[in-house]
Amino acid sequence: MASKIIKTVRTVAELRTIIADWRKTGHKIILVPTMGALHEGHLSLVRLAKEIGDRVVVSIFVNPAQFAPNEDFGSYPRTFDGDLDKLHEISTDLVFAPPRDEVYPPDFSTHITVEGLSDGLCGTSRPHFFGGVATVVAKLLNQCRPDVAIFGDKDYQQLLVIRRMARDLDLGVEIVGGPIVREKDGLAMSSRNAYLTANERERAPQLHLTIEEIAEGLADGKSIKPLLDEGHARLKEAGFDVDYLEVRNAENLAPIDGQVQESARVFAAAMLGKTRLIDNVAVPGSNR
Ligand code: AMP
């Protein structure tokens, strides 16, 4: 049964009424957008939000616009009651969980494109993705009008796309990134990890170990190409079908060749069986 204790609203009108009350008393409001199936990664962002602000809103909405027809929208894990319990435990102030029609009325016609940053990495194999994310996040930011919105470094390209959109559209919100939370063996927490079979789950940390090793090699001054070649081989050996494995500038995602002399991160996405995993790490010694 759904938790009765945590305040949950379904409509923009209800959300705005509560936010307006908080504004009157001068509260600093933080939004943490999620698609639910909450894990420690999400909860860490809520804790960060509580440190930064006075009132924390968590949105839970599985956004159809960021899934292609052949992707996992239908099977995406939905654990709403458990999510509410977890959010209650860490004293979230408000959950905004709109039904689909509240977000996308039948004649919805607007689409936001963030050019440049949305190309490459996840944008190549998921060309629909960042437009769907930017559009729904723009709506959530307008609906809630928070002072700050928090996104995970886990989806680093997404974080940069949203920060750029917020700046370009003068949304008047600060976009803050929160560090990646990992399982003990290094696997980045993700709602999609639930799809992994026991055997895949054992192999899954190889993704993180591989990019970590590449990042350390780069910090030692090694060249990018051999490190990436080795990484590809290692992931293939572990049964991954690699989508991309790349080193990019951490501020603007420009590709980096040769040796790293700037703020850089290693990015990877790969299929393990039917599950798409993504991860990224900073190159030690390079600025974030
Ligand atoms: P999602 O529900 O997958 O859309 O994620 C909601 C937010 O949680 C996004 O800003 C993600 O980047 C963030 N997030 C997901 N997994 C993690 C993680 N392991 N560590 C930190 N943040 C995460």
Side-chain angles (χ1 to χ4, degrees), residues 45-64:
L45 302 184
V46 178
R47 290 193 193 95
L48 178 59
K50 288 169 66 69
E51 278 170 33
I52 296 176
D54 306 306
R55 291 288 181 271
V56 179
V57 183
V58 173
S59 62
I60 297 180
F61 180 65
V62 185
N63 174 33

Side-chain angles (χ1 to χ4, degrees), residues 25 45 53 71 78 93 134 190 196 238 260 276:
T25 35
L45 302 184
E71 292 183 344
R78 288 162 171 88
D93 297 291
S190 164
L196 297 168
V260 166
R276 187 170 187 277

Side-chain angles (χ1 to χ4, degrees), residues 33-35 39 41-42 45 76 151-152 154-155 179-181 189:
T34 81
M35 298 205 298
H39 49 66
H42 299 111
L45 302 184
Y76 194 84
F151 294 85
K154 160 83 183 356
D155 302 279
I180 301 175
V181 177
M189 289 192 184

